[in-house]
Amino acid sequence: MKRLLLFFFFLVNTICLAQVDKYEELIAQAGLFHLQKEHSKAIEKFEEALSVKSLDALNSYKLAGAYSLAGNSDQAFYYLNQAIEIGSTEADLLAIDSYFDTLRNNFPEKWKQLELKANEKEKQYEKKLKLPELRRQINSMTYEDQKLRMKRIQTADSEEIQLLNQQINTSDLRNLNEARKIIKQNGWPKISDIGKDAQNNFWLIVQHADQDVRFQKWALSEMEKYLRTNEIDLENYAFLHDRVQCNLNYKQLYGTQVIWTQNGMANGFRPILKENLVDKRRKSLKLLPLRIYALTYGFDYQQISSRQAKVNENRDLKLTKQLVDSAKTSYKEKEFQKTYDYYNTASAIMGGMNEEQNYEAAVLFAKIYNSTNEEQYRSIALDFLTLQYYRGKLKHKKLMSQKEFKSFYDQERWIEIVKNLN
């Protein structure tokens, strides 16, 4: 009897896990179709998922958007109301979300009632938060940014696109400066301070601040202080961690960064360190396996073995060494363009060149610049130094004692590096 009960428990547990996996697969596929505005396919996948279990607030909101695009206003309003009832808290998002343009324009009274309900729900939610004003500030920053990006997607006029790109760049810089002030004053804003929605929006601003990797590193370090609490979204942490790693030309840990193709789709992941362990690391943050996550970008993925992961990493290191050796040989033969090309290729291999190789490359290109006075060589030397600076691998004393860099002293990038080194 005991053996029979154990078998029964194992069977039930296996079936439950299979249902969870199936649900997550369907949600991932539905999310991609929703992003691509392929409403019929999105609805089909969401409805399949509903046959397994109920949707959360976010996916109810997405399904409402798909029904709105499909012209089914009754179902769109039904799932929007459901999203609000079970946890959707961003009332202002409704005012700008283009998925619901049809509902706003064709059913103004019904839409007004929905907005009133959403606003009341949001007021109740804000009463639980310590910094509701900061929440509103962050959400406002994000919504203004989203409006510009939506306009760019919807227009085909080249002059308007150029103008919108300029406005988006200005908005990104303004948001970056505001985000810097917020962290300086509050540290990483906690969920109990500003709520899940505003923290997600704040993370999005930081995630897109690729023009300032030092800021991203700082923000990540502030976020890490709450890693063992319930005050941050662990998926957002994984995204920002990987984003910083990739921006520093290291391999990522959690597999959140993909190789984009088009229309919200990708064809693979950017290089992952010890890729055979990626699902173990993801599980530690309560993230879905990479196989399911890949479906949100429209491609299939199978986890690789430890042997294959080692083969891949050794291949990258071997290729890097070959390119660096070829660059040094070309330098000795005074074939400076080849030197440039070999090092440029080697530097594109994530996790390839180590700290010593990066610094050697900077010195070598400084020597080439000093003998040729060709700007491309000084520029790439500063690229290597800047990377080392962002990584925190440069020392002021060593840098200033390197006589090859004296011709760099009037360069803005050099001045920026030196003034911030100990």
Side-chain angles (χ1 to χ4, degrees):
M1 176 64 72
K2 184 178 180 180
R3 184 179 297 176
L4 185 62
L5 287 173
L6 286 172
F7 174 75
F8 179 75
F9 174 78
F10 174 78
L11 183 62
V12 170
N13 189 54
T14 302
I15 292 171
C16 289
L17 289 174
Q19 286 181 320
V20 169
D21 278 356
K22 182 63 176 177
Y23 174 82
E24 297 297 351
E25 287 178 13
L26 290 167
I27 288 296
Q29 293 166 339
L32 176 62
F33 291 136
H34 171 265
L35 181 65
Q36 296 172 328
K37 294 190 176 183
E38 294 192 36
H39 48 79
S40 297
K41 292 180 180 179
I43 291 169
E44 180 184 344
K45 294 298 179 183
F46 276 127
E47 293 290 358
E48 281 188 62
L50 271 167
S51 69
V52 180
K53 71 173 187 177
S54 300
L55 301 180
D56 60 13
L58 175 60
N59 286 302
S60 293
Y61 184 91
K62 289 180 179 179
L63 179 53
Y67 271 122
S68 178
L69 291 177
N72 189 333
S73 60
D74 289 340
Q75 288 291 79
F77 275 113
Y78 172 80
Y79 282 107
L80 263 182
N81 273 290
Q82 186 176 70
I84 293 168
E85 287 171 7
I86 62 178
S88 182
T89 53
E90 294 183 83
D92 289 342
L93 183 60
L94 288 172
I96 64 169
D97 195 331
S98 62
Y99 282 71
F100 302 115
D101 285 347
T102 301
L103 302 187
R104 280 190 218 94
N105 296 332
N106 295 344
F107 306 93
E109 287 302 316
K110 200 170 182 179
W111 183 260
K112 184 178 179 180
Q113 291 302 313
L114 185 80
E115 284 189 323
L116 288 172
K117 181 178 180 179
N119 284 319
E120 182 57 34
K121 193 83 172 182
E122 186 164 14
K123 286 178 183 177
Q124 295 302 317
Y125 179 67
E126 281 196 341
K127 289 179 181 178
K128 304 174 184 178
L129 304 176
K130 296 175 184 175
L131 300 174
E133 290 184 6
L134 180 59
R135 173 182 182 269
R136 289 192 288 272
Q137 177 192 348
I138 289 170
N139 284 347
S140 178
M141 289 162 58
T142 308
Y143 298 150
E144 288 303 313
D145 182 66
Q146 287 179 345
K147 284 180 185 178
L148 293 172
R149 282 176 162 79
M150 286 179 183
K151 284 182 181 178
R152 185 175 61 181
I153 291 171
Q154 293 168 353
T155 184
D157 184 273
S158 58
E159 290 186 7
E160 188 175 359
I161 289 174
Q162 186 176 0
L163 176 61
L164 285 167
N165 283 336
Q166 292 173 356
Q167 292 175 341
I168 288 170
N169 289 336
T170 301
S171 174
D172 286 345
L173 181 59
R174 182 172 59 249
N175 285 348
L176 169 59
N177 290 332
E178 287 300 315
R180 188 180 284 112
K181 292 176 186 176
I182 288 169
I183 293 179
K184 188 174 182 179
Q185 183 174 349
N186 303 280
W188 184 269
K190 303 189 293 293
I191 289 176
S192 60
D193 290 336
I194 61 173
K196 290 183 179 180
D197 55 356
Q199 192 187 85
N200 185 69
N201 286 334
F202 186 76
W203 160 81
L204 194 62
I205 291 169
V206 176
Q207 183 82 352
H208 290 165
D210 294 323
Q211 70 271 43
D212 194 338
V213 185
R214 290 181 69 234
F215 165 70
Q216 288 182 322
K217 281 184 65 180
W218 175 45
L220 180 64
S221 69
E222 291 295 316
M223 196 180 193
E224 283 176 339
K225 294 176 181 178
Y226 302 105
L227 197 53
R228 291 176 177 82
T229 72
N230 294 319
E231 292 287 8
I232 61 170
D233 184 301
L234 293 177
E235 185 174 16
N236 287 349
Y237 167 78
F239 266 92
L240 184 55
H241 188 283
D242 283 351
R243 188 76 159 223
V244 169
Q245 290 294 100
C246 289
N247 283 340
L248 294 175
N249 208 39
Y250 292 129
K251 292 182 177 179
Q252 60 178 323
L253 288 186
Y254 301 104
T256 64
Q257 305 299 291
V258 297
I259 303 167
W260 291 102
T261 53
Q262 58 182 354
N263 196 21
M265 297 185 71
N267 59 13
F269 294 105
R270 300 181 75 179
I272 303 169
L273 183 67
K274 295 182 180 179
E275 189 175 341
N276 58 300
L277 300 177
V278 64
D279 275 344
K280 185 177 181 180
R281 292 191 291 263
R282 289 178 65 85
K283 188 176 181 180
S284 72
L285 296 183
K286 301 178 182 178
L287 304 182
L288 294 171
L290 215 55
R291 173 183 64 82
I292 295 176
Y293 176 63
L295 298 177
T296 63
Y297 295 102
F299 67 92
D300 294 323
Y301 172 82
Q302 294 296 326
Q303 187 173 353
I304 65 175
S305 66
S306 58
R307 180 179 177 278
Q308 186 59 53
K310 193 170 184 179
V311 167
N312 292 349
E313 293 192 10
N314 287 339
R315 178 200 61 208
D316 288 348
L317 293 175
K318 183 179 179 181
L319 177 57
T320 300
K321 186 177 185 304
Q322 288 174 347
L323 289 165
V324 170
D325 288 346
S326 295
K328 289 179 178 179
T329 299
S330 297
Y331 171 71
K332 290 177 182 177
E333 295 171 352
K334 298 188 182 302
E335 294 187 272
F336 299 146
Q337 185 58 51
K338 285 187 177 181
T339 305
Y340 182 98
D341 293 339
Y342 281 128
Y343 263 124
N344 200 37
T345 303
S347 69
I349 300 173
M350 300 190 74
M353 290 178 66
N354 59 34
E355 316 307 344
E356 183 181 352
Q357 288 170 329
N358 278 301
Y359 189 79
E360 284 180 349
V363 174
L364 185 147
F365 281 115
K367 290 178 179 178
I368 296 175
Y369 171 74
N370 292 332
S371 67
T372 65
N373 208 35
E374 293 183 30
E375 188 57 41
Q376 69 165 339
Y377 299 117
R378 180 163 63 178
S379 179
I380 195 172
L382 285 167
D383 288 343
F384 281 111
L385 288 176
T386 300
L387 177 62
Q388 292 296 87
Y389 164 58
Y390 286 157
R391 288 180 171 183
K393 302 298 182 181
L394 282 182
K395 297 296 182 183
H396 186 275
K397 185 176 180 180
K398 181 178 180 180
L399 197 62
M400 297 307 295
S401 66
Q402 196 79 48
K403 63 181 186 301
E404 287 84 0
F405 295 143
K406 287 185 177 180
S407 56
F408 293 6
Y409 286 2
D410 63 343
Q411 297 295 297
E412 284 187 19
R413 283 201 287 168
W414 173 270
I415 295 169
E416 176 69 19
I417 290 171
V418 170
K419 76 178 183 180
N420 287 297
L421 286 178
N422 296 325

